[in-house]
Amino acid sequence: MDLPVMPPVKPMLAKSVAGIPPGMQYEAKWDGFRAIVFRDGDEVEVGSRTGKPLTRYFPELVAALRERVPERCVLDGEIVIAREGRLDFDALTERIHPADSRVHTLAERTPASFVAFDLLALADKALLDVPLSDRRELLVRALAGVTPPVHVAPATTDVEVARRWFEEYEGAGLDGVIAKPLTLGYLQDERAMFKIKHERTADVVVAGYRFHKSGPVVGSLLLGLHDDRGVLQHVGVSAAFPMKRRAELVEELEPLRMADAAGHPWAAWGDEAAHETARLPGAPSRWSGKKDLSWVPLRPERVAEVAYDHMENGARFRHTARFRRWRPDRTPESCTYTQLEEPVRYDLSEILGTAPSGEH
């Protein structure tokens, strides 16, 4: 492979802001695996955000890219899987599997798509220093008429359209809106763009915590919600605390600390089979590797308000929830899934079906 921009490339990143800024290019924020695609003739490589290759995990996508994108190019985009008109991140994570036989089975069962939103090189020309507005024109031209599973991400410079996308696209499982300055070059590993994500709040049961990697202070709080049977399900964690607050939390939660998990709603967390029928902390996975998943059980009596962006399959927080405050006025039993907002459904095909055009 001999391209004007060679792997590894660290993707340009975005920083969170509260509102959609004016005067920029706007795109949906895709909830998948960020990927940099390198094609040089028959050679195709797919790099992850960390620079590690994703190529072997998506053989059906590599074949499609070899057929559909320019013979020599470098593309920035997102690998996604759609099911029933929505993005399915759980299905995507299952694709990262060590066994080749499983990889090929899943390639047929849950095929992936690639949504391109930037062009870093074309033919013999590197485009890293070219303004975004020009790179966008080149991208649309280079992928004109492209067919699934390769798509061009819809983009607009109309802030009102971006606001409508922010409200509507969540129903298809998208994660908000990205705003990009029009004169921006491609700045690797820099937070030079802006992301605007949905945020909601929920009252949750704090039923345990994990220690921080640095020592005996709280690393993350383990959060739960009661399902319609009254069973407490593990729905995620809250982890962003200053170090002083981490130490304070150990003292605050000490009266609730249990000697062991016996009698706790998540007592079976160490039994791999139990994770098939309930959401428990410490589920073994290929992502966790040898990471210590042990946790300190607490009597599930304290309620906290947390902020979250959206739920994954209606069952757990997709990202780490943000602690807001304790809620002594709420009972643990009142913390149920029914309090969660569900976005209005929006068919993903309505988004990707119009993707090849440049302005919407």
Side-chain angles (χ1 to χ4, degrees), residues 83-105:
R83 278 182 173 177
E84 299 179 354
R86 285 180 59 86
L87 297 181
D88 188 335
F89 191 80
D90 279 349
L92 191 62
T93 61
E94 291 172 2
R95 295 293 307 271
I96 309 301
H97 199 281
D100 284 340
S101 59
R102 182 64 174 166
V103 166
H104 287 279
T105 297

Side-chain angles (χ1 to χ4, degrees), residues 128-151:
L128 301 180
D129 296 329
V130 173
L132 170 70
S133 56
D134 294 340
R135 295 202 310 276
R136 174 69 190 186
E137 288 184 17
L138 290 168
L139 173 69
V140 171
R141 217 178 304 155
L143 296 185
V146 74
T147 57
V150 180
H151 307 266

Side-chain angles (χ1 to χ4, degrees), residues 12 30 32 44 46-47 51 60 72 78 120 150 158 161 168 176 220 226 248 251-252 262 269 275 299 324 337 356:
M12 183 163 58
W30 299 89
V44 176
V46 183
E60 81 288 11
R72 287 171 49 78
E78 200 99 356
L120 311 190
V150 180
D158 187 331
V161 172
E168 293 180 347
S220 60
H226 290 95
E248 293 171 348
E251 294 184 20
E252 284 183 40
W269 73 279
H275 291 269
R299 295 198 311 275
R324 290 292 180 255
Y337 281 96

